């Protein structure tokens, strides 16, 4: 399930990055944001249920929930033309805090690659917060997303999918 969720998130990030670079339109991007947000929330729920039943990692579901809800808020803003993005920025800031906590927890647990991934997610959501408050260009966010898609989504998704260990 993790593999499909990571690939799915990359579709949304790619669409948002291109929108911020002037390619695409808000409603189409809003649709993919809504679809990915709903599926990320559903994936977080399924992950949490199976983790409880199997005695596994109870953490990953929470990260999916927070990002899924952020994606839903972004979808709403894009689909309905929200003009003041500060509220969405506030959700991004809270999501950044959650990602930062995940980074710390996974670092302490010794899972360096997951900590590295969570650090990247934290940086991206801090950037989104700054963008929605008018303190950072959408182009900077777009470039960051395009850089982080292969590093934080595709590489781990395909390595996990092939049963290979993460790089570190």
């Amino acid at each position: 399930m993790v593999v499909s969720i990571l690939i799915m998130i990359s579709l949304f990030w790619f669409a948002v990055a291109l929108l911020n670079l002037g390619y695409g339109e808000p409603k189409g991007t809003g649709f993919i944001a809504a679809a990915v947000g709903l599926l990320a929330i559903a994936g977080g729920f399924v992950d949490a249920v199976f983790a409880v039943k199997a005695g596994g990692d109870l953490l990953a579901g929470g990260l999916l929930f927070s990002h899924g809800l952020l994606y839903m808020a972004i979808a709403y803003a894009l689909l309905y033309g929200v003009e003041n993005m500060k509220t969405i920025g506030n959700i991004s800031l809270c999501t950044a805090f959650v990602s930062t906590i995940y980074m710390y927890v996974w670092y302490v647990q010794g899972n360096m690659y997951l900590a590295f991934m969570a650090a990247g997610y934290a940086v991206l959501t801090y950037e989104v917060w700054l963008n929605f408050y008018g303190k950072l260009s959408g182009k900077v966010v777009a470039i960051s997303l395009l850089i982080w898609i292969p590093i934080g989504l595709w590489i781990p998704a395909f390595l996990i999918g092939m049963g290979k260990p993460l790089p570190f």
Side-chain angles (χ1 to χ4, degrees), residues 6-16 32 36 149 153-154:
L6 292 175
I7 297 299
M8 176 185 62
I9 291 169
S10 76
L11 298 175
F12 165 58
W13 285 10
F14 192 75
V16 168
I32 191 69
V36 171
I149 287 169
L153 296 173
W154 290 344

Side-chain angles (χ1 to χ4, degrees), residues 21-93:
L21 292 173
Y23 304 100
E25 50 86 31
K27 290 191 181 198
T29 306
F31 173 79
I32 191 69
V36 171
L38 283 172
L39 291 170
I41 292 166
F45 179 77
V46 169
D47 187 68
V49 167
F50 282 110
V52 168
K53 287 188 174 193
D57 178 17
L58 296 173
L59 287 174
L63 191 59
L64 288 170
F65 282 132
S66 64
H67 281 269
L69 289 169
L70 172 61
Y71 301 162
M72 292 299 298
I74 292 170
Y76 174 80
L78 291 170
L79 290 169
Y80 293 100
V82 172
E83 301 213 6
N84 184 342
M85 296 294 283
K86 288 184 179 178
T87 299
I88 312 301
N90 295 339
I91 297 166
S92 185
L93 179 61

